[in-house]
Amino acid sequence: GQQVMQIPQYQHVQEGEDFTTYCNSSTTLSNIQWYKQRPGGHPVFLIQLVKSGEVKKQKRLTFQFGEAKKNSSLHITATQTTDVGTYFCLFIEMDSNYQLIWGAGTKLIIKP
Amino acid sequence: DAMVIQNPRYQVTQFGKPVTLSCSQTLNHNVMYWYQQKSSQAPKLLFHYYDKDFNNEADTPDNFQSRRPNTSFCFLDIRSPGLGDAAMYLCATSRDRLQGSYNEQFFGPGTRLTVL
């Protein structure tokens, strides 16, 4: 079956350093969404990528969708304490069956 | 404000005692989802409704059932909770499921279920 691998599981950074999380799929997929979940909170939608090779930016966040639509990344420049949380990718497959495949999440931890 | 509401926020039940969790939405979205999320894990989709069309995930145990009596409300019934069912249960909605269109998911705050 289709699988999504998200790495790393955790990333510890000093405030001001960059952060990146990667998602890879075993098959080509329709589109991808990214969500952020703060500690004790619920997932909140960040963005959706649909087109091959698409790049979108939201202030310090840059989202990319691979050319083959099998991988995606989220990069945060100059992390701030408000960025703390777990970032999940969600691959959506809309061919014969509607499937949602979540990555395991990457937890961003700011070192004190 | 339009939102997704879950009640109760915390639910304690006994092993084997049926429990029902509820979700309501004021967004008038077509799709409603139920997820189970355990500590430090990704949300696990249990099932979803597209309007009245029920879609069960293949690995969702029969112990979990759902009802959607109308657009606004959706219920999760756990017929015989086991210790392994202790988790956060998240309800989410999306306007539709079409590619590139209105399928952003809006999550409720969740119900934390404890099984004694």
Side-chain angles (χ1 to χ4, degrees), chain B residues 19 21 34 46-47 49 54 56 60-67 75-79:
Chain B
V19 66
L21 310 182
W34 277 106
L46 297 174
F47 23 61
Y49 277 93
F54 177 71
N56 198 29
T60 298
D62 292 341
N63 196 28
F64 292 89
Q65 303 286 321
S66 185
R67 297 170 282 134
F75 300 96
L76 170 61
D77 301 308
I78 308 176
R79 296 193 293 186

Side-chain angles (χ1 to χ4, degrees), chain B residues 70-108:
Chain B
N70 54 51
T71 300
S72 300
F73 286 87
C74 197
F75 300 96
L76 170 61
D77 301 308
I78 308 176
R79 296 193 293 186
S80 181
L83 298 178
D85 297 328
M88 177 71 81
Y89 289 88
L90 294 163
C91 174
T93 73
S94 65
R95 184 168 168 179
D96 213 310
R97 299 187 316 189
L98 299 176
Q99 183 171 358
S101 171
Y102 305 127
N103 56 7
E104 163 189 350
Q105 292 187 41
F106 294 81
F107 283 81

Side-chain angles (χ1 to χ4, degrees), chain A residues 41-103:
Chain A
H42 56 272
V44 174
F45 175 82
L46 294 176
I47 209 157
Q48 176 166 257
L49 304 172
V50 178
K51 300 177 184 176
S52 169
E54 191 169 15
V55 178
K56 287 189 176 180
K57 292 191 175 184
Q58 289 179 349
K59 297 183 180 178
R60 295 178 292 104
L61 278 62
T62 302
F63 304 84
Q64 293 188 319
F65 202 8
E67 292 290 341
K69 300 183 76 173
K70 288 185 176 183
N71 60 284
S72 182
S73 65
L74 158 58
H75 180 81
I76 303 177
T77 303
T79 54
Q80 299 175 358
T81 55
T82 53
D83 297 325
V84 163
T86 301
Y87 293 83
F88 293 99
C89 60
L90 170 59
F91 278 106
I92 301 174
E93 177 51 59
M94 296 190 212
D95 283 347
S96 55
N97 294 313
Y98 179 73
Q99 281 192 292
L100 304 179
I101 309 164
W102 289 79

Side-chain angles (χ1 to χ4, degrees), chain B residues 18-75:
Chain B
V19 66
T20 296
L21 310 182
S22 72
C23 177
S24 63
Q25 53 130 340
T26 60
L27 298 161
N28 203 32
H29 283 175
N30 293 325
V31 192
M32 294 188 78
Y33 310 80
W34 277 106
Y35 288 92
Q36 179 193 67
Q37 187 176 31
K38 297 189 176 180
S39 181
S40 300
Q41 295 184 18
K44 179 183 185 301
L45 183 64
L46 297 174
F47 23 61
H48 76 277
Y49 277 93
Y50 184 37
D51 290 331
K52 294 183 178 181
D53 182 27
F54 177 71
N55 298 269
N56 198 29
E57 294 298 299
D59 58 354
T60 298
D62 292 341
N63 196 28
F64 292 89
Q65 303 286 321
S66 185
R67 297 170 282 134
R68 189 180 186 185
N70 54 51
T71 300
S72 300
F73 286 87
C74 197
F75 300 96

